[in-house]
Amino acid sequence: IILSKQRKPKISASRKLMLKSLMVAKAKEELEQEILVKEEEKHRYLAERAPPLNTSGLSLGQLQDLCRELHAKIDVVDEERYDIEAKVMLNTREIKDLNIKVLDLRGKFKRPNLRRVRVSADAILRSLLGSKHKVSMDLRANLKSVKKEDTEKKRPVEDSDWRKNVEAMSGMEGRKKMFDAAKGSAQ
């Protein structure tokens, strides 16, 4: 018995784009709702912690007592803020240390940005082969050597005395000889 698997139809590009835009719109709405909820919580907290002051109809002594109470509350809040900041700093330092330990355990270190450095070929070879080997790049060492005798043999014999050759080739007679020689070698 052969079971045929039915493939799920792929989503078209326009459908994907529409779904993506719907997801973004939904996320935007949720973000706005979250911001409103936070604002409401903030107002509720401030109303609970700091009720509105009623200073009308208070005498000078009562106003001074109210100021002392407010200063005491401010001192308490500042102490709490300082303690919380100290805890946050301690936690961030601890997180940083733990991240460094994790990187050490993994063996991955942050690589510094490298700069281009001009180094001669001799210095590169010296660093590769070690300082014991004295390396000098002789670029002519690998060139093919050509013997002078080979080039002298290829020259025709009539070129040996150049003065005779110049006199023979001068004028129209010489041009005719060169033309005939070229014509004869081509055939």
Side-chain angles (χ1 to χ4, degrees):
I1 300 172
I2 299 174
L3 297 174
S4 62
K5 290 184 179 180
Q6 292 182 356
R7 290 185 178 179
K8 292 182 181 178
K10 291 185 178 179
I11 300 174
S12 66
S14 60
R15 178 98 170 127
K16 276 185 184 178
L17 186 62
M18 185 186 72
L19 289 173
K20 207 180 262 189
S21 63
L22 287 174
M23 288 174 61
V24 168
K26 182 70 174 169
K28 190 175 181 181
E29 287 176 18
E30 288 180 2
L31 187 64
E32 289 172 356
Q33 285 292 333
E34 190 176 321
I35 290 171
L36 289 174
V37 168
K38 282 185 180 180
E39 283 292 323
E40 288 176 9
E41 280 184 32
K42 182 178 176 183
H43 286 296
R44 216 178 311 119
Y45 180 80
L46 286 176
E48 178 184 310
R49 286 289 190 149
L53 294 176
N54 188 8
T55 57
S56 61
L58 294 178
S59 66
L60 182 65
Q62 291 174 335
L63 285 174
Q64 287 176 345
D65 290 339
L66 182 64
C67 286
R68 286 189 195 107
E69 285 179 28
L70 290 175
H71 277 289
K73 286 182 181 180
I74 289 172
D75 289 341
V76 169
V77 169
D78 277 343
E79 287 176 9
E80 288 177 6
R81 183 181 54 84
Y82 179 78
D83 291 342
I84 291 172
E85 282 179 0
K87 285 180 184 178
V88 167
M89 285 175 44
L90 184 69
N91 287 342
T92 54
R93 196 176 315 127
E94 192 174 329
I95 288 171
K96 199 183 240 183
D97 291 341
L98 290 174
N99 281 335
I100 290 172
K101 284 183 182 179
V102 167
L103 287 176
D104 287 345
L105 290 175
R106 283 186 188 169
K108 292 183 180 178
F109 299 100
K110 191 172 185 181
R111 294 181 182 172
N113 293 333
L114 300 177
R115 291 178 285 174
R116 288 187 181 266
V117 178
R118 291 188 181 188
V119 182
S120 67
D122 289 338
I124 292 172
L125 288 174
R126 204 175 306 121
S127 67
L128 290 174
L129 299 175
S131 60
K132 295 177 184 176
H133 302 285
K134 187 175 182 182
V135 180
S136 64
M137 292 226 8
D138 187 12
L139 298 175
R140 295 182 184 149
N142 295 331
L143 294 176
K144 184 178 178 182
S145 60
V146 179
K147 296 180 182 177
K148 289 185 179 180
E149 297 169 3
D150 294 342
T151 57
E152 290 174 2
K153 289 179 184 176
K154 291 179 184 177
R155 289 186 181 173
V157 179
E158 61 189 44
D159 285 291
S160 60
D161 190 11
W162 61 274
R163 278 169 270 170
K164 291 180 185 176
N165 195 18
V166 169
E167 290 170 6
M169 293 297 179
S170 64
M172 289 302 286
E173 294 292 320
R175 300 236 183 246
K176 185 178 179 191
K177 286 180 187 176
M178 285 175 50
F179 181 72
D180 290 340
K183 193 175 183 184
S185 66
Q187 290 177 353

